[in-house]
Amino acid sequence: MPVWNPEYETMPREALEELQLRRLKSTVAWVYERVPYYREALDARGVKPRDIRSVDDVRLLPFTDKTALRDTYPFGMFAVPMEQVVRVHSSSGTTGKPIVVGYTKGDLNTWTELTARIASAAGVTAHDRVQMLFLYGMFTGGWGMHYGIERVGATVFPAGAGNTERQLMMMQDFGTTAIVGTPSYALYLAEVAEAEGIDVTALPLRVGLFGGEPSGEAMRAEIERRLGILATDNYGLSEVMGPGVSGECEHQCGLHMAEDHFLFEIVDPKTGEPLPDGEEGELVITTLTKEAFPVIRYRTHDLTVIETAPCACGRTLARMRKVRKRTDDMLIVRGVNVYPSQIEDALLQVEGVEPHYLIVVDRTGAMDTLEVRIEVAEEMFSDMMSDMVAFTRRVSDRIHSVVGLHAKVTLVEPGTIERTAGKARHVVDNRPSE
């Protein structure tokens, strides 16, 4: 598949690092002059923009986290006057004040360019008809990919989220060849299609671009099998831009990172110290070209690994492993660290388990309890109680082998666990706050 922007996506590493340094120097000077929060933070560390002489000097700069972005709500981190801000997006704000981000005309052009790269890497061309299954509104997911796909020249159907029967009707009537949404909603789409007797694999649909939530290789394989498509993963977050930060090519061997527009670090999530390539740690991002809302060393809480070896597609940009874990979604149950992604991987190794589950953590007296509710295929429900007990034990043993804890496994019928067009909810923690 062709590379959208060979000048930057296949740039020699040495030239790329020179470009990053020039842009890092410019960004640090920009925020020091225009954003009081950063000027105060840099002064407190005794750092001036002139102190940035190499890319590694990014470590002289302070980290930024969500607390800082919420404390300066709504526009305190903007580096340009509102007259130059042409678009505002925000997070959902489900845990308090939302994080508000702004874009200049230049920012929107950059955003469009980077999501065009993502779409092109996945194989989208001007011949495609792309159905958007993401929410629009203040969420960055739908808008970001929308304009990049248009720049590639494809036709966009801004269907939005939900109303699955209508989505399937559009796919059939409009000849949709590509979809963009969350992986969990793609599976639900396949589920509804099967219930309605629609053979999605017989439609022109051929590729899916998925993001917005973590998903593993087992889920990818299930999506590809049930929809008959190539499923690619892409990554972004509102705080640094939205989708377009990184995305997979057809080789599906990691997400190519837009290193000409972002400086990426992997740090120890406990100490903040840098880790070498190939070691898992927390992803930290510094924007290099953002005008309205630049951020310095933003702690994403996402755990990943960076690989700098060239890809078979010809792109020289580093690749990051799919994000499956976050430092802030780790559960501590009876003293054991548990990530939802570990349980998902364990479940999908058991034949008959549907890719819909709910982890329920509670406390009885002083003891934490772990329950995993899973949907199973209808044919798995048996009149023989002994068969069901054996199946439940097999699932429980698989979970124990992965996370080291025994979980109560509850089997529920297909369709029982709530579906959503947005991010799937996989964890309910009913334990009282300490």
Side-chain angles (χ1 to χ4, degrees):
M1 296 178 186
V3 176
W4 175 255
N5 191 330
E7 179 182 358
Y8 291 101
E9 294 184 77
T10 63
M11 179 179 285
R13 297 291 308 172
E14 298 79 6
L16 176 61
E17 289 176 8
E18 291 176 3
L19 176 65
Q20 287 181 320
L21 178 57
R22 291 198 303 272
R23 290 180 168 178
L24 177 62
K25 288 180 176 180
S26 177
T27 293
V28 174
W30 183 262
V31 299
Y32 188 83
E33 176 186 346
R34 293 166 172 262
V35 183
Y37 172 86
Y38 281 124
R39 185 183 311 115
E40 294 170 9
L42 287 166
D43 285 345
R45 297 171 71 94
V47 177
K48 300 294 184 185
R50 62 176 177 272
D51 295 326
I52 304 301
R53 300 186 180 92
S54 72
V55 170
D56 288 342
D57 286 336
V58 70
R59 298 168 190 168
L60 301 174
L61 305 175
F63 288 114
T64 308
D65 59 20
K66 285 186 178 180
T67 301
L69 304 187
R70 290 187 173 121
D71 287 348
T72 54
Y73 172 89
F75 308 130
M77 296 291 274
F78 285 18
V80 299
M82 287 301 292
E83 290 75 15
Q84 295 177 31
V85 175
V86 298
R87 176 92 65 79
V88 169
H89 284 285
S90 75
S91 65
S92 61
T94 53
T95 58
K97 290 285 189 180
I99 290 167
V100 179
V101 297
Y103 303 79
T104 64
K105 288 182 179 179
D107 291 332
L108 290 184
N109 184 60
T110 298
W111 195 10
T112 300
E113 170 66 17
L114 294 188
T115 50
R117 290 185 192 178
I118 300 298
S120 185
V124 175
T125 72
H127 300 290
D128 279 298
R129 303 175 185 183
V130 185
Q131 192 162 324
M132 302 294 298
L133 310 179
F134 267 134
L135 293 165
Y136 279 74
M138 299 300 285
F139 174 59
T140 57
W143 290 105
M145 293 303 299
H146 180 120
Y147 288 106
I149 290 166
E150 282 188 344
R151 180 163 292 185
V152 169
T155 303
V156 178
F157 307 146
N163 201 341
T164 306
E165 289 78 7
R166 183 171 177 272
Q167 300 278 11
L168 289 166
M169 180 190 72
M170 290 177 63
M171 289 169 62
Q172 295 174 90
D173 295 346
F174 293 2
T176 300
T177 62
I179 55 174
V180 179
T182 62
S184 59
Y185 187 66
L187 280 176
Y188 182 54
L189 195 72
E191 186 178 282
V192 174
E194 290 161 5
E196 296 288 327
I198 300 169
D199 182 4
V200 180
T201 63
L203 300 179
L205 189 66
R206 62 179 192 80
V207 65
L209 289 73
F210 301 112
E213 63 185 16
S215 64
E217 290 303 321
M219 182 175 282
R220 187 212 298 270
E222 188 77 357
I223 291 170
E224 292 186 331
R225 180 183 69 81
R226 295 172 73 171
L227 294 181
I229 62 174
L230 173 76
T232 65
D233 195 49
N234 61 81
Y235 172 84
L237 58 166
S238 298
E239 297 91 326
V240 301
M241 186 175 69
V245 175
S246 65
E248 287 183 314
C249 67
E250 71 273 21
H251 295 285
Q252 300 173 317
C253 58
L255 287 70
H256 292 280
M257 310 166 81
E259 293 184 280
D260 50 328
H261 290 274
F262 305 99
L263 185 62
F264 299 94
E265 303 172 73
I266 295 291
V267 304
D268 184 308
K270 293 181 179 178
T271 67
E273 291 301 309
L275 296 173
D277 287 349
E279 193 164 331
E280 182 180 78
E282 181 181 354
L283 183 66
V284 174
I285 303 176
T286 297
T287 64
L288 298 178
T289 56
K290 287 285 291 293
E291 296 173 343
F293 193 83
V295 290
I296 300 296
R297 302 195 80 194
Y298 184 73
R299 299 195 68 155
T300 67
H301 296 291
D302 291 323
L303 296 173
T304 188
V305 175
I306 290 180
E307 169 63 58
T308 56
C311 179
C313 71
R315 293 173 179 84
T316 55
L317 300 172
R319 287 164 287 143
M320 58 183 278
R321 190 176 63 191
K322 292 176 64 162
V323 173
R324 302 294 319 285
K325 300 183 288 187
R326 289 177 52 83
T327 60
D328 56 0
D329 75 358
M330 183 182 74
L331 299 166
I332 301 178
V333 182
R334 299 198 290 273
V336 177
N337 297 342
V338 179
Y339 289 97
S341 59
Q342 293 175 300
I343 293 180
E344 177 183 297
D345 289 343
L347 294 176
L348 293 180
Q349 291 173 18
V350 180
E351 185 179 354
V353 176
E354 296 289 307
H356 303 289
Y357 64 94
L358 185 66
I359 301 165
V360 181
V361 185
D362 213 328
R363 182 167 296 159
T364 302
M367 180 66 72
D368 289 339
T369 62
L370 176 64
E371 178 189 8
V372 181
R373 299 173 188 168
I374 60 173
E375 291 187 8
V376 293
E378 290 185 8
E379 58 269 20
M380 295 303 297
F381 279 98
S382 171
D383 292 333
M384 295 291 292
M385 181 59 69
S386 59
D387 292 345
M388 298 303 293
V389 170
F391 179 75
T392 301
R393 184 179 298 117
R394 189 158 69 250
V395 176
S396 181
D397 288 347
R398 175 60 64 180
I399 293 172
H400 180 263
S401 71
V402 173
V403 304
L405 285 174
H406 288 287
K408 175 186 177 184
V409 174
T410 302
L411 308 183
V412 299
E413 295 182 354
T416 303
I417 294 173
E418 180 184 8
R419 310 295 199 260
T420 175
K423 296 181 181 181
R425 185 189 189 200
H426 288 309
V427 179
V428 174
D429 193 339
N430 292 324
R431 292 175 294 184
S433 301
E434 300 294 345

mmCIF file of all heavy atoms in Angstrom, residues 334-374:
data_model
loop_
_atom_site.group_PDB
_atom_site.id
_atom_site.type_symbol
_atom_site.label_atom_id
_atom_site.label_comp_id
_atom_site.label_asym_id
_atom_site.label_seq_id
_atom_site.Cartn_x
_atom_site.Cartn_y
_atom_site.Cartn_z
ATOM 1 N N ARG A 334 -6.880 -8.668 46.455
ATOM 2 C CA ARG A 334 -6.198 -9.530 47.424
ATOM 3 C C ARG A 334 -4.681 -9.450 47.269
ATOM 4 O O ARG A 334 -3.961 -10.451 47.350
ATOM 5 C CB ARG A 334 -6.695 -10.977 47.294
ATOM 6 C CG ARG A 334 -8.190 -11.125 47.554
ATOM 7 C CD ARG A 334 -8.592 -12.557 47.855
ATOM 8 N NE ARG A 334 -8.514 -13.457 46.726
ATOM 9 C CZ ARG A 334 -9.501 -13.634 45.842
ATOM 10 N NH1 ARG A 334 -10.630 -12.939 45.963
ATOM 11 N NH2 ARG A 334 -9.365 -14.490 44.850
ATOM 12 N N GLY A 335 -4.198 -8.234 47.026
ATOM 13 C CA GLY A 335 -2.766 -7.991 46.927
ATOM 14 C C GLY A 335 -2.141 -8.318 45.591
ATOM 15 O O GLY A 335 -0.933 -8.168 45.410
ATOM 16 N N VAL A 336 -2.960 -8.751 44.633
ATOM 17 C CA VAL A 336 -2.451 -9.127 43.312
ATOM 18 C C VAL A 336 -2.826 -8.055 42.291
ATOM 19 O O VAL A 336 -3.967 -7.598 42.256
ATOM 20 C CB VAL A 336 -3.019 -10.493 42.870
ATOM 21 C CG1 VAL A 336 -2.543 -10.847 41.468
ATOM 22 C CG2 VAL A 336 -2.608 -11.575 43.864
ATOM 23 N N ASN A 337 -1.859 -7.649 41.470
ATOM 24 C CA ASN A 337 -2.123 -6.674 40.415
ATOM 25 C C ASN A 337 -2.806 -7.371 39.238
ATOM 26 O O ASN A 337 -2.265 -8.336 38.693
ATOM 27 C CB ASN A 337 -0.824 -6.029 39.930
ATOM 28 C CG ASN A 337 -0.127 -5.233 41.025
ATOM 29 O OD1 ASN A 337 -0.744 -4.882 42.031
ATOM 30 N ND2 ASN A 337 1.136 -4.942 40.830
ATOM 31 N N VAL A 338 -3.970 -6.859 38.858
ATOM 32 C CA VAL A 338 -4.761 -7.470 37.792
ATOM 33 C C VAL A 338 -5.136 -6.406 36.772
ATOM 34 O O VAL A 338 -5.670 -5.350 37.133
ATOM 35 C CB VAL A 338 -6.048 -8.119 38.347
ATOM 36 C CG1 VAL A 338 -6.867 -8.721 37.207
ATOM 37 C CG2 VAL A 338 -5.718 -9.166 39.395
ATOM 38 N N TYR A 339 -4.839 -6.673 35.504
ATOM 39 C CA TYR A 339 -5.280 -5.795 34.425
ATOM 40 C C TYR A 339 -6.460 -6.449 33.702
ATOM 41 O O TYR A 339 -6.433 -7.655 33.431
ATOM 42 C CB TYR A 339 -4.153 -5.553 33.418
ATOM 43 C CG TYR A 339 -3.043 -4.682 33.937
ATOM 44 C CD1 TYR A 339 -1.882 -5.249 34.456
ATOM 45 C CD2 TYR A 339 -3.153 -3.297 33.921
ATOM 46 C CE1 TYR A 339 -0.849 -4.457 34.938
ATOM 47 C CE2 TYR A 339 -2.125 -2.495 34.401
ATOM 48 C CZ TYR A 339 -0.979 -3.072 34.902
ATOM 49 O OH TYR A 339 0.029 -2.276 35.375
ATOM 50 N N PRO A 340 -7.505 -5.680 33.385
ATOM 51 C CA PRO A 340 -8.632 -6.253 32.632
ATOM 52 C C PRO A 340 -8.202 -6.961 31.361
ATOM 53 O O PRO A 340 -8.792 -7.974 30.977
ATOM 54 C CB PRO A 340 -9.511 -5.031 32.342
ATOM 55 C CG PRO A 340 -9.211 -4.078 33.452
ATOM 56 C CD PRO A 340 -7.744 -4.279 33.755
ATOM 57 N N SER A 341 -7.168 -6.445 30.694
ATOM 58 C CA SER A 341 -6.720 -7.057 29.437
ATOM 59 C C SER A 341 -6.219 -8.484 29.662
ATOM 60 O O SER A 341 -6.339 -9.339 28.777
ATOM 61 C CB SER A 341 -5.617 -6.211 28.802
ATOM 62 O OG SER A 341 -4.505 -6.070 29.672
ATOM 63 N N GLN A 342 -5.647 -8.764 30.851
ATOM 64 C CA GLN A 342 -5.184 -10.121 31.137
ATOM 65 C C GLN A 342 -6.364 -11.085 31.195
ATOM 66 O O GLN A 342 -6.297 -12.205 30.683
ATOM 67 C CB GLN A 342 -4.437 -10.144 32.471
ATOM 68 C CG GLN A 342 -3.123 -9.393 32.485
ATOM 69 C CD GLN A 342 -2.522 -9.383 33.873
ATOM 70 O OE1 GLN A 342 -3.109 -8.891 34.832
ATOM 71 N NE2 GLN A 342 -1.330 -9.947 33.991
ATOM 72 N N ILE A 343 -7.436 -10.637 31.842
ATOM 73 C CA ILE A 343 -8.613 -11.488 31.947
ATOM 74 C C ILE A 343 -9.249 -11.689 30.574
ATOM 75 O O ILE A 343 -9.681 -12.791 30.227
ATOM 76 C CB ILE A 343 -9.617 -10.898 32.961
ATOM 77 C CG1 ILE A 343 -9.012 -10.965 34.370
ATOM 78 C CG2 ILE A 343 -10.967 -11.616 32.896
ATOM 79 C CD1 ILE A 343 -9.890 -10.421 35.460
ATOM 80 N N GLU A 344 -9.284 -10.626 29.768
ATOM 81 C CA GLU A 344 -9.830 -10.760 28.417
ATOM 82 C C GLU A 344 -9.050 -11.787 27.614
ATOM 83 O O GLU A 344 -9.632 -12.655 26.948
ATOM 84 C CB GLU A 344 -9.799 -9.408 27.700
ATOM 85 C CG GLU A 344 -10.288 -9.475 26.266
ATOM 86 C CD GLU A 344 -10.177 -8.148 25.542
ATOM 87 O OE1 GLU A 344 -10.842 -7.195 25.964
ATOM 88 O OE2 GLU A 344 -9.412 -8.081 24.560
ATOM 89 N N ASP A 345 -7.729 -11.719 27.686
ATOM 90 C CA ASP A 345 -6.903 -12.672 26.945
ATOM 91 C C ASP A 345 -7.178 -14.101 27.402
ATOM 92 O O ASP A 345 -7.247 -15.031 26.583
ATOM 93 C CB ASP A 345 -5.426 -12.342 27.130
ATOM 94 C CG ASP A 345 -5.013 -11.070 26.397
ATOM 95 O OD1 ASP A 345 -5.766 -10.636 25.499
ATOM 96 O OD2 ASP A 345 -3.957 -10.514 26.729
ATOM 97 N N ALA A 346 -7.326 -14.273 28.713
ATOM 98 C CA ALA A 346 -7.600 -15.613 29.240
ATOM 99 C C ALA A 346 -8.946 -16.130 28.747
ATOM 100 O O ALA A 346 -9.064 -17.292 28.338
ATOM 101 C CB ALA A 346 -7.574 -15.577 30.774
ATOM 102 N N LEU A 347 -9.950 -15.286 28.766
ATOM 103 C CA LEU A 347 -11.288 -15.703 28.352
ATOM 104 C C LEU A 347 -11.326 -16.124 26.892
ATOM 105 O O LEU A 347 -11.941 -17.134 26.527
ATOM 106 C CB LEU A 347 -12.287 -14.566 28.589
ATOM 107 C CG LEU A 347 -12.555 -14.170 30.045
ATOM 108 C CD1 LEU A 347 -13.485 -12.967 30.096
ATOM 109 C CD2 LEU A 347 -13.154 -15.335 30.822
ATOM 110 N N LEU A 348 -10.666 -15.343 26.053
ATOM 111 C CA LEU A 348 -10.757 -15.604 24.618
ATOM 112 C C LEU A 348 -9.919 -16.801 24.181
ATOM 113 O O LEU A 348 -9.934 -17.181 23.019
ATOM 114 C CB LEU A 348 -10.366 -14.348 23.835
ATOM 115 C CG LEU A 348 -11.359 -13.174 24.000
ATOM 116 C CD1 LEU A 348 -10.897 -11.968 23.196
ATOM 117 C CD2 LEU A 348 -12.766 -13.583 23.564
ATOM 118 N N GLN A 349 -9.206 -17.398 25.137
ATOM 119 C CA GLN A 349 -8.497 -18.648 24.837
ATOM 120 C C GLN A 349 -9.393 -19.866 25.034
ATOM 121 O O GLN A 349 -8.994 -20.990 24.701
ATOM 122 C CB GLN A 349 -7.267 -18.770 25.745
ATOM 123 C CG GLN A 349 -6.169 -17.759 25.442
ATOM 124 C CD GLN A 349 -5.058 -17.802 26.479
ATOM 125 O OE1 GLN A 349 -4.929 -18.771 27.211
ATOM 126 N NE2 GLN A 349 -4.263 -16.743 26.549
ATOM 127 N N VAL A 350 -10.597 -19.637 25.591
ATOM 128 C CA VAL A 350 -11.508 -20.742 25.880
ATOM 129 C C VAL A 350 -12.596 -20.794 24.813
ATOM 130 O O VAL A 350 -13.337 -19.824 24.614
ATOM 131 C CB VAL A 350 -12.146 -20.586 27.275
ATOM 132 C CG1 VAL A 350 -13.085 -21.746 27.566
ATOM 133 C CG2 VAL A 350 -11.067 -20.490 28.348
ATOM 134 N N GLU A 351 -12.683 -21.886 24.109
ATOM 135 C CA GLU A 351 -13.687 -22.033 23.059
ATOM 136 C C GLU A 351 -15.092 -21.951 23.651
ATOM 137 O O GLU A 351 -15.379 -22.546 24.688
ATOM 138 C CB GLU A 351 -13.511 -23.377 22.352
ATOM 139 C CG GLU A 351 -14.448 -23.569 21.163
ATOM 140 C CD GLU A 351 -14.232 -24.893 20.458
ATOM 141 O OE1 GLU A 351 -13.278 -25.615 20.822
ATOM 142 O OE2 GLU A 351 -15.022 -25.199 19.545
ATOM 143 N N GLY A 352 -15.944 -21.171 22.991
ATOM 144 C CA GLY A 352 -17.327 -21.022 23.440
ATOM 145 C C GLY A 352 -17.596 -19.750 24.185
ATOM 146 O O GLY A 352 -18.752 -19.365 24.388
ATOM 147 N N VAL A 353 -16.540 -19.040 24.613
ATOM 148 C CA VAL A 353 -16.711 -17.776 25.322
ATOM 149 C C VAL A 353 -16.862 -16.649 24.311
ATOM 150 O O VAL A 353 -16.033 -16.491 23.413
ATOM 151 C CB VAL A 353 -15.522 -17.488 26.260
ATOM 152 C CG1 VAL A 353 -15.677 -16.122 26.913
ATOM 153 C CG2 VAL A 353 -15.399 -18.575 27.315
ATOM 154 N N GLU A 354 -17.919 -15.875 24.433
ATOM 155 C CA GLU A 354 -18.131 -14.723 23.561
ATOM 156 C C GLU A 354 -17.254 -13.562 24.032
ATOM 157 O O GLU A 354 -16.907 -13.487 25.217
ATOM 158 C CB GLU A 354 -19.607 -14.315 23.579
ATOM 159 C CG GLU A 354 -20.549 -15.368 23.010
ATOM 160 C CD GLU A 354 -20.404 -15.507 21.513
ATOM 161 O OE1 GLU A 354 -20.498 -14.507 20.791
ATOM 162 O OE2 GLU A 354 -20.166 -16.651 21.059
ATOM 163 N N PRO A 355 -16.903 -12.611 23.152
ATOM 164 C CA PRO A 355 -16.008 -11.509 23.533
ATOM 165 C C PRO A 355 -16.733 -10.385 24.275
ATOM 166 O O PRO A 355 -16.518 -9.208 24.010
ATOM 167 C CB PRO A 355 -15.459 -11.038 22.186
ATOM 168 C CG PRO A 355 -16.547 -11.353 21.222
ATOM 169 C CD PRO A 355 -17.187 -12.622 21.712
ATOM 170 N N HIS A 356 -17.634 -10.732 25.162
ATOM 171 C CA HIS A 356 -18.339 -9.754 25.986
ATOM 172 C C HIS A 356 -18.274 -10.244 27.423
ATOM 173 O O HIS A 356 -18.681 -11.376 27.725
ATOM 174 C CB HIS A 356 -19.802 -9.615 25.541
ATOM 175 C CG HIS A 356 -19.949 -9.233 24.099
ATOM 176 N ND1 HIS A 356 -19.635 -7.979 23.631
ATOM 177 C CD2 HIS A 356 -20.338 -9.957 23.018
ATOM 178 C CE1 HIS A 356 -19.852 -7.929 22.324
ATOM 179 N NE2 HIS A 356 -20.269 -9.116 21.926
ATOM 180 N N TYR A 357 -17.739 -9.420 28.297
ATOM 181 C CA TYR A 357 -17.534 -9.842 29.675
ATOM 182 C C TYR A 357 -17.618 -8.643 30.608
ATOM 183 O O TYR A 357 -17.512 -7.485 30.187
ATOM 184 C CB TYR A 357 -16.161 -10.516 29.827
ATOM 185 C CG TYR A 357 -14.999 -9.582 29.556
ATOM 186 C CD1 TYR A 357 -14.359 -8.898 30.588
ATOM 187 C CD2 TYR A 357 -14.541 -9.369 28.261
ATOM 188 C CE1 TYR A 357 -13.303 -8.034 30.337
ATOM 189 C CE2 TYR A 357 -13.494 -8.505 27.992
ATOM 190 C CZ TYR A 357 -12.881 -7.842 29.044
ATOM 191 O OH TYR A 357 -11.844 -6.982 28.787
ATOM 192 N N LEU A 358 -17.805 -8.923 31.902
ATOM 193 C CA LEU A 358 -17.843 -7.880 32.919
ATOM 194 C C LEU A 358 -17.113 -8.397 34.150
ATOM 195 O O LEU A 358 -17.422 -9.484 34.657
ATOM 196 C CB LEU A 358 -19.288 -7.512 33.277
ATOM 197 C CG LEU A 358 -19.466 -6.335 34.241
ATOM 198 C CD1 LEU A 358 -18.988 -5.041 33.596
ATOM 199 C CD2 LEU A 358 -20.918 -6.211 34.682
ATOM 200 N N ILE A 359 -16.146 -7.627 34.621
ATOM 201 C CA ILE A 359 -15.388 -7.957 35.829
ATOM 202 C C ILE A 359 -16.008 -7.182 36.993
ATOM 203 O O ILE A 359 -16.110 -5.952 36.945
ATOM 204 C CB ILE A 359 -13.906 -7.569 35.664
ATOM 205 C CG1 ILE A 359 -13.295 -8.299 34.454
ATOM 206 C CG2 ILE A 359 -13.123 -7.854 36.940
ATOM 207 C CD1 ILE A 359 -11.968 -7.714 34.009
ATOM 208 N N VAL A 360 -16.428 -7.885 38.009
ATOM 209 C CA VAL A 360 -17.059 -7.256 39.168
ATOM 210 C C VAL A 360 -16.192 -7.529 40.402
ATOM 211 O O VAL A 360 -15.977 -8.684 40.773
ATOM 212 C CB VAL A 360 -18.489 -7.777 39.402
ATOM 213 C CG1 VAL A 360 -19.124 -7.069 40.609
ATOM 214 C CG2 VAL A 360 -19.342 -7.573 38.150
ATOM 215 N N VAL A 361 -15.682 -6.458 40.992
ATOM 216 C CA VAL A 361 -14.864 -6.569 42.205
ATOM 217 C C VAL A 361 -15.682 -6.044 43.374
ATOM 218 O O VAL A 361 -16.300 -4.974 43.290
ATOM 219 C CB VAL A 361 -13.551 -5.777 42.073
ATOM 220 C CG1 VAL A 361 -12.657 -6.007 43.289
ATOM 221 C CG2 VAL A 361 -12.815 -6.157 40.795
ATOM 222 N N ASP A 362 -15.697 -6.785 44.448
ATOM 223 C CA ASP A 362 -16.473 -6.380 45.627
ATOM 224 C C ASP A 362 -15.694 -6.774 46.874
ATOM 225 O O ASP A 362 -14.576 -7.300 46.794
ATOM 226 C CB ASP A 362 -17.859 -7.046 45.601
ATOM 227 C CG ASP A 362 -18.937 -6.162 46.225
ATOM 228 O OD1 ASP A 362 -18.601 -5.409 47.168
ATOM 229 O OD2 ASP A 362 -20.093 -6.217 45.778
ATOM 230 N N ARG A 363 -16.285 -6.524 48.031
ATOM 231 C CA ARG A 363 -15.623 -6.882 49.282
ATOM 232 C C ARG A 363 -16.634 -7.475 50.239
ATOM 233 O O ARG A 363 -17.696 -6.896 50.473
ATOM 234 C CB ARG A 363 -14.948 -5.667 49.906
ATOM 235 C CG ARG A 363 -14.185 -5.967 51.206
ATOM 236 C CD ARG A 363 -13.294 -4.801 51.578
ATOM 237 N NE ARG A 363 -12.245 -4.594 50.580
ATOM 238 C CZ ARG A 363 -11.587 -3.439 50.427
ATOM 239 N NH1 ARG A 363 -11.885 -2.407 51.179
ATOM 240 N NH2 ARG A 363 -10.654 -3.342 49.499
ATOM 241 N N THR A 364 -16.316 -8.644 50.761
ATOM 242 C CA THR A 364 -17.128 -9.304 51.776
ATOM 243 C C THR A 364 -16.316 -9.350 53.060
ATOM 244 O O THR A 364 -15.302 -10.062 53.129
ATOM 245 C CB THR A 364 -17.511 -10.731 51.337
ATOM 246 O OG1 THR A 364 -18.230 -10.662 50.099
ATOM 247 C CG2 THR A 364 -18.393 -11.384 52.386
ATOM 248 N N GLY A 365 -16.736 -8.579 54.061
ATOM 249 C CA GLY A 365 -15.927 -8.444 55.259
ATOM 250 C C GLY A 365 -14.622 -7.765 54.914
ATOM 251 O O GLY A 365 -14.605 -6.665 54.364
ATOM 252 N N ALA A 366 -13.514 -8.422 55.182
ATOM 253 C CA ALA A 366 -12.206 -7.857 54.860
ATOM 254 C C ALA A 366 -11.625 -8.445 53.583
ATOM 255 O O ALA A 366 -10.504 -8.118 53.202
ATOM 256 C CB ALA A 366 -11.243 -8.083 56.028
ATOM 257 N N MET A 367 -12.394 -9.302 52.918
ATOM 258 C CA MET A 367 -11.879 -10.048 51.765
ATOM 259 C C MET A 367 -12.417 -9.504 50.444
ATOM 260 O O MET A 367 -13.626 -9.340 50.277
ATOM 261 C CB MET A 367 -12.254 -11.527 51.891
ATOM 262 C CG MET A 367 -11.776 -12.401 50.743
ATOM 263 S SD MET A 367 -9.983 -12.541 50.668
ATOM 264 C CE MET A 367 -9.707 -13.602 52.105
ATOM 265 N N ASP A 368 -11.500 -9.211 49.509
ATOM 266 C CA ASP A 368 -11.917 -8.820 48.165
ATOM 267 C C ASP A 368 -12.453 -10.039 47.422
ATOM 268 O O ASP A 368 -11.937 -11.157 47.574
ATOM 269 C CB ASP A 368 -10.739 -8.253 47.372
ATOM 270 C CG ASP A 368 -10.299 -6.888 47.871
ATOM 271 O OD1 ASP A 368 -11.113 -6.218 48.533
ATOM 272 O OD2 ASP A 368 -9.149 -6.501 47.585
ATOM 273 N N THR A 369 -13.476 -9.820 46.621
ATOM 274 C CA THR A 369 -14.018 -10.886 45.782
ATOM 275 C C THR A 369 -13.895 -10.486 44.323
ATOM 276 O O THR A 369 -13.996 -9.305 43.974
ATOM 277 C CB THR A 369 -15.485 -11.175 46.113
ATOM 278 O OG1 THR A 369 -16.274 -10.000 45.866
ATOM 279 C CG2 THR A 369 -15.646 -11.586 47.567
ATOM 280 N N LEU A 370 -13.663 -11.465 43.478
ATOM 281 C CA LEU A 370 -13.519 -11.236 42.040
ATOM 282 C C LEU A 370 -14.493 -12.141 41.300
ATOM 283 O O LEU A 370 -14.421 -13.364 41.411
ATOM 284 C CB LEU A 370 -12.085 -11.541 41.604
ATOM 285 C CG LEU A 370 -11.773 -11.441 40.102
ATOM 286 C CD1 LEU A 370 -11.950 -10.014 39.607
ATOM 287 C CD2 LEU A 370 -10.353 -11.932 39.817
ATOM 288 N N GLU A 371 -15.408 -11.516 40.572
ATOM 289 C CA GLU A 371 -16.368 -12.261 39.752
ATOM 290 C C GLU A 371 -16.191 -11.853 38.302
ATOM 291 O O GLU A 371 -16.004 -10.665 38.000
ATOM 292 C CB GLU A 371 -17.805 -11.977 40.193
ATOM 293 C CG GLU A 371 -18.853 -12.692 39.340
ATOM 294 C CD GLU A 371 -20.281 -12.250 39.639
ATOM 295 O OE1 GLU A 371 -20.453 -11.284 40.405
ATOM 296 O OE2 GLU A 371 -21.215 -12.862 39.079
ATOM 297 N N VAL A 372 -16.236 -12.814 37.426
ATOM 298 C CA VAL A 372 -16.165 -12.528 35.999
ATOM 299 C C VAL A 372 -17.423 -13.084 35.348
ATOM 300 O O VAL A 372 -17.652 -14.303 35.362
ATOM 301 C CB VAL A 372 -14.911 -13.149 35.357
ATOM 302 C CG1 VAL A 372 -14.868 -12.797 33.867
ATOM 303 C CG2 VAL A 372 -13.651 -12.650 36.047
ATOM 304 N N ARG A 373 -18.236 -12.189 34.811
ATOM 305 C CA ARG A 373 -19.452 -12.609 34.116
ATOM 306 C C ARG A 373 -19.132 -12.672 32.630
ATOM 307 O O ARG A 373 -18.624 -11.699 32.062
ATOM 308 C CB ARG A 373 -20.586 -11.611 34.380
ATOM 309 C CG ARG A 373 -20.952 -11.498 35.859
ATOM 310 C CD ARG A 373 -21.943 -10.382 36.117
ATOM 311 N NE ARG A 373 -22.137 -10.173 37.554
ATOM 312 C CZ ARG A 373 -22.773 -9.127 38.077
ATOM 313 N NH1 ARG A 373 -23.291 -8.191 37.287
ATOM 314 N NH2 ARG A 373 -22.885 -9.020 39.392
ATOM 315 N N ILE A 374 -19.437 -13.785 32.027
ATOM 316 C CA ILE A 374 -19.094 -13.962 30.618
ATOM 317 C C ILE A 374 -20.299 -14.471 29.843
ATOM 318 O O ILE A 374 -21.116 -15.222 30.359
ATOM 319 C CB ILE A 374 -17.915 -14.945 30.445
ATOM 320 C CG1 ILE A 374 -18.261 -16.325 31.015
ATOM 321 C CG2 ILE A 374 -16.661 -14.384 31.077
ATOM 322 C CD1 ILE A 374 -17.221 -17.379 30.743
#
